Amino acid sequence: MPAIRGVLFGLHAITIGLASASAPVAAAQSADGNAGNALLDRYCIACHNERQSNGGIALDALDPAEAASRPKDWERVVRQLRSGVMPPPGAPRPADDDVQAFAARIESILDAAAAGAPDPGSPPVHRLNRTEYANAIRDLLALEVDAETLLPADPSLDGFDNIGGVLSVSPVLLERYLAAARRISRLAVGDPTIDPAFASRTYDIDRQRFQDQRMDEDLPFGSRGGAAIRHHFPLDGEYAVRIALRRNIFGYIRGLAEPHRLEIRLDGVPAGRFTVGGRDLGQPAPASFGGVIAGDPEWEAYALAADAGLEVRMNVPAGTRLVGVAFRDRPIEEEGILQPPLTGLGLGFSEWRSTPAGPPAPAVDSIAISGPYSPGGPGDTPSRRRIFSCRPTGVGAAEQSCAREIVAALARLAYRRPVSPAEVDALLAFFGAGRDGGTFETGIQAAIERLLVDPNFLFRVERTPDDIGRNEVYRLGDMELASRMAFFLWSSPPDEELLALAERGDLTAPEALEQQVRRMLADDRAQAL
């Protein structure tokens, strides 16, 4: 319950500034003002008056009971009193209890006035940051993307990168949005023209990480080092997975003194096994900080290129798959005095021979996935199931009707509100352009590409209702509240349940609001909070 109350308080803080209230100020002003006036007359007005206005403030022209009419002046007075700056050193000073009581009285008047007449200002246009963009793509198209490789870093303020006032837009960023939309739409639909250069990617492993234990919960027990990667395979076809091992500062692959078993798995199923190291190829290069002293030629050739054949080709169905690469762990206990593990100082040097901490072991430096080679069809992926809610039974009107259904459903979730027929028609124009000379799916791909660069998707804009005057305070609507809740708790757009509740106008009901908060906190997406 405390956690729920805390989140509800946070949501209340989001909306309270836009909800008009009528808290009475008179109750806060009912305290006896004679003591406060006497305090000002005795200790303050001698210096702060209309004739001698030290500090630019004349207290003889101000009435504490009317503090709400001059909030800036009285906030200055409270700050000076609370900090002990006034009265100045050497001047007569009132008792501290009297000062604190007077300051508390002024603060209560100011707080009551602010609550009775909130002035939240207008919320700025809020561009989705990289995290929100990636989450929106995930929830809209059932496609995981790495926003860090697609978009530049977001500006931040005080360590936060989701402040709408600093999330600016540049021409370069717009170009990156266009390129990202083109790439994402092709991956989501399964463009049959995708080639290996488009879909290939290399995953580098942090060189500062020790690979002396199981590195990921998605890797099998009894494994050591490596990484587990979720890679999107855009089409059915043959793909290559190539492993590069970590090298020392001289370019020699580390940990080849003893044999080590390396395994490649696809969705947990072994797809390739290799043995690394353990070959007797003559004298290795001696350890030296003065420069490279070559070893025997056969050893040199192997130590420099022992990972040249660590590649496996496999047929992979389209979709996001788990690729796991790890060594089989071989725990041993060396005889003799136990030594602490390596600190990392030797990771870049040699580590060819055994050390007091145990024999050295190889480590994975990068995992490169390329393909598709000999591509097949787009397959049955979560993205295609999410997108193609219907299939046209013919051409012409049948395709147009199905395309309208698909585009309208995606636009509603992308814009986080109901969409108008004119907005759907604008997207269908791009469907038609993509359909000319292509297929129904290329038309849908073009419409999705246009959707992903629409300002209604990239920006969170809270429009002032038509019947609200300038600078007039109004209560937040259900659709705006749904969007704020989702980005606050999930860093992503509202889902179907939250959006439907807001469309019916039922979200602002207290019981519905609490029920939705509980549901959203129980969702895995709440870890973003």
Side-chain angles (χ1 to χ4, degrees):
M1 281 300 292
I4 297 296
R5 287 197 296 268
V7 172
L8 286 173
F9 178 79
L11 291 171
H12 179 64
I14 289 177
T15 59
I16 191 171
L18 295 179
S20 61
S22 59
V25 181
Q29 298 175 343
S30 63
D32 184 12
N34 294 330
N37 291 330
L39 185 147
L40 294 176
D41 292 341
R42 182 174 180 181
Y43 298 101
C44 304
I45 291 181
C47 297
H48 300 284
N49 54 68
E50 291 185 336
R51 179 182 302 177
Q52 187 179 354
S53 181
N54 290 340
I57 186 169
L59 295 178
D60 58 345
L62 300 179
D63 183 0
E66 301 294 333
S69 63
R70 301 283 293 272
K72 292 184 178 180
D73 291 333
W74 284 107
E75 284 175 359
R76 289 183 57 196
V77 172
V78 169
R79 283 197 299 269
Q80 299 294 324
L81 293 175
R82 289 289 196 192
S83 62
V85 175
M86 289 292 166
R93 300 179 66 87
D96 186 65
D97 290 344
D98 294 338
V99 172
Q100 300 304 322
F102 177 72
R105 176 190 170 217
I106 298 300
E107 288 172 343
S108 65
I109 295 174
L110 295 177
D111 291 344
D119 184 16
S122 299
V125 175
H126 190 128
R127 175 176 62 81
L128 302 186
N129 64 18
R130 289 196 303 189
T131 299
E132 294 167 341
Y133 180 87
N135 292 343
I137 296 297
R138 176 201 63 199
D139 294 345
L140 178 66
L141 301 175
L143 179 66
E144 297 278 355
V145 298
D146 184 3
E148 292 185 3
T149 63
L150 296 174
L151 302 173
D154 296 306
S156 62
L157 178 65
D158 295 330
F160 293 92
D161 63 356
N162 61 347
I163 307 299
V166 299
L167 289 171
S168 56
V169 180
S170 65
V172 173
L173 181 59
L174 291 178
E175 292 179 0
R176 296 289 291 272
Y177 275 132
L178 289 169
R182 188 176 304 114
R183 180 179 184 84
I184 291 170
S185 63
R186 294 183 68 188
L187 291 174
V189 172
D191 185 352
T193 64
I194 288 176
D195 56 24
F198 177 87
S200 299
R201 184 176 174 186
T202 298
Y203 298 89
D204 296 316
I205 300 178
D206 187 359
R207 288 177 173 263
Q208 304 300 318
R209 295 191 66 187
F210 284 92
Q211 297 187 28
D212 55 356
Q213 58 186 347
R214 183 170 175 242
M215 304 300 292
D216 196 289
E217 292 184 355
D218 289 324
L219 293 174
F221 290 106
S223 66
R224 178 193 62 78
I229 297 166
R230 295 193 178 276
H231 180 80
H232 184 74
F233 297 87
L235 300 172
D236 294 342
E238 184 184 46
Y239 293 83
V241 179
R242 190 183 187 286
I243 312 302
L245 299 180
R246 188 158 298 173
R247 287 163 165 77
N248 65 13
I249 59 175
F250 302 125
Y252 296 135
I253 294 174
R254 296 173 41 218
L256 298 179
E258 297 188 359
H260 298 270
R261 179 66 63 86
L262 178 67
E263 293 186 345
I264 300 175
R265 294 172 176 261
L266 179 68
D267 289 337
V269 178
R273 292 187 176 93
F274 305 92
T275 299
V276 177
R279 297 186 183 182
D280 185 8
L281 299 173
Q283 179 64 35
S288 170
F289 285 99
V292 177
I293 302 175
D296 289 347
E298 291 185 354
W299 179 89
E300 285 279 333
Y302 182 65
L304 293 172
D307 57 359
L310 302 184
E311 178 178 318
V312 62
R313 290 202 171 217
M314 50 190 175
N315 291 319
V316 183
T320 300
R321 308 289 175 184
L322 178 66
V323 178
V325 177
F327 291 95
R328 183 177 297 177
D329 196 16
R330 295 189 308 159
I332 63 172
E333 286 292 340
E334 294 252 331
E335 293 184 358
I337 299 176
L338 294 178
Q339 297 290 333
L342 292 174
T343 61
L345 296 178
L347 289 182
F349 185 54
S350 176
E351 297 189 55
W352 172 261
R353 297 182 178 85
S354 296
T355 67
V364 177
D365 189 61
S366 66
I367 303 170
I369 303 176
S370 59
Y373 304 100
S374 304
D380 181 23
T381 64
S383 295
R384 289 178 59 82
R385 291 194 295 270
R386 178 72 58 83
I387 294 170
F388 295 104
S389 57
C390 64
R391 287 288 180 178
T393 56
V395 296
E399 284 190 345
Q400 196 74 11
S401 175
C402 181
R404 177 174 290 276
E405 177 184 331
I406 292 173
V407 167
L410 292 176
R412 173 175 170 272
L413 292 175
Y415 299 168
R416 304 172 285 277
R417 57 171 175 79
V419 292
S420 66
E423 290 173 322
V424 176
D425 290 339
L427 296 173
L428 285 177
F430 284 82
F431 163 79
R435 177 66 179 87
D436 291 342
T439 65
F440 175 79
E441 293 192 359
T442 60
I444 294 296
Q445 176 187 320
I448 293 175
E449 184 177 337
R450 167 62 176 81
L451 175 69
L452 297 183
V453 294
D454 194 289
N456 290 290
F457 171 69
L458 296 176
F459 297 91
R460 293 163 53 192
V461 182
E462 294 181 358
R463 295 176 173 82
T464 303
D466 295 336
D467 57 345
I468 298 298
R470 181 178 177 83
N471 297 327
E472 185 177 346
V473 177
Y474 61 92
R475 185 175 294 277
L476 201 64
D478 286 67
M479 300 305 304
E480 290 79 9
L481 179 58
S483 187
R484 288 197 185 190
M485 286 177 61
F487 282 100
F488 175 51
L489 296 177
W490 287 346
S491 292
S492 63
D495 63 356
E496 176 60 36
E497 180 174 340
L498 187 63
L499 197 59
L501 194 66
E503 286 177 334
R504 297 195 300 269
D506 297 333
L507 181 58
T508 50
E511 62 278 4
L513 183 63
E514 180 171 350
Q515 188 273 331
Q516 286 300 309
V517 170
R518 290 181 178 276
R519 179 185 71 86
M520 296 172 72
L521 286 176
D523 193 286
D524 290 340
R525 286 171 286 185
Q527 294 192 18
L529 177 63

